[in-house]
Amino acid sequence: MSFNVKDLSAFIYGGVEGHQKFLEIQKKVSNDPVLRFNPEHIQISRKELFEVMAKKLVRYHQLFEISPEMKSMETLFFNETMPLAVHFAMFYSVLRNLCTDKQKKMFLEPTYNGEILGCYAQTELGHGSDVQSL
């Protein structure tokens, strides 16, 4: 079975324009001295890695508008989780999808702007908070 790669790319990125936008962003990331992949960062300590990823986060937001779309693309460009990834992927998404209109007015914009920072916790009945064992 064969398929057209351009059609699949357009499907994945929400159309030809979306795929083109992704390629443009990918080029900027790979050419930026702060954002591009550096194999020397593979063997650094956790503390050093966090500092590197924090610098990448700042640079990423200098170059690109902060939006849920751009936050979701981080995982495509970086081999490590960016600081605030859980904040946007889990906390912000839950607010956006589950809040009432009144709650959204109170919490969504400050969360989006980083004025409120959130996290995500999960527990299941009968399992406590041992998510790995679920």
Side-chain angles (χ1 to χ4, degrees), residues 80-93:
E80 295 292 335
T81 303
M82 290 287 244
L84 301 180
V86 171
H87 169 78
F88 279 98
M90 304 300 283
F91 184 73
Y92 178 80
S93 296

Side-chain angles (χ1 to χ4, degrees), residues 37-45 49 79-80:
F37 174 73
N38 182 343
E40 293 176 10
H41 295 157
I42 292 173
Q43 298 298 323
I44 62 177
S45 72
L49 182 60
N79 61 327
E80 295 292 335

Side-chain angles (χ1 to χ4, degrees), residues 43-58:
Q43 298 298 323
I44 62 177
S45 72
R46 181 168 170 76
K47 180 181 178 201
E48 291 169 315
L49 182 60
F50 187 84
E51 290 172 2
V52 165
M53 296 311 290
K55 288 177 185 173
K56 286 181 185 254
L57 177 69
V58 169

Side-chain angles (χ1 to χ4, degrees), residues 59-103:
R59 181 66 178 147
Y60 189 70
H61 290 281
Q62 287 172 340
L63 293 177
F64 305 108
E65 174 189 342
I66 300 173
S67 69
E69 175 192 27
M70 290 306 298
K71 296 306 293 178
S72 66
M73 283 194 189
E74 288 177 3
T75 59
L76 302 173
F77 300 128
F78 305 110
N79 61 327
E80 295 292 335
T81 303
M82 290 287 244
L84 301 180
V86 171
H87 169 78
F88 279 98
M90 304 300 283
F91 184 73
Y92 178 80
S93 296
V94 167
L95 291 177
R96 189 182 71 232
N97 293 314
L98 299 178
C99 282
T100 65
D101 289 340
K102 183 178 178 182
Q103 290 169 327

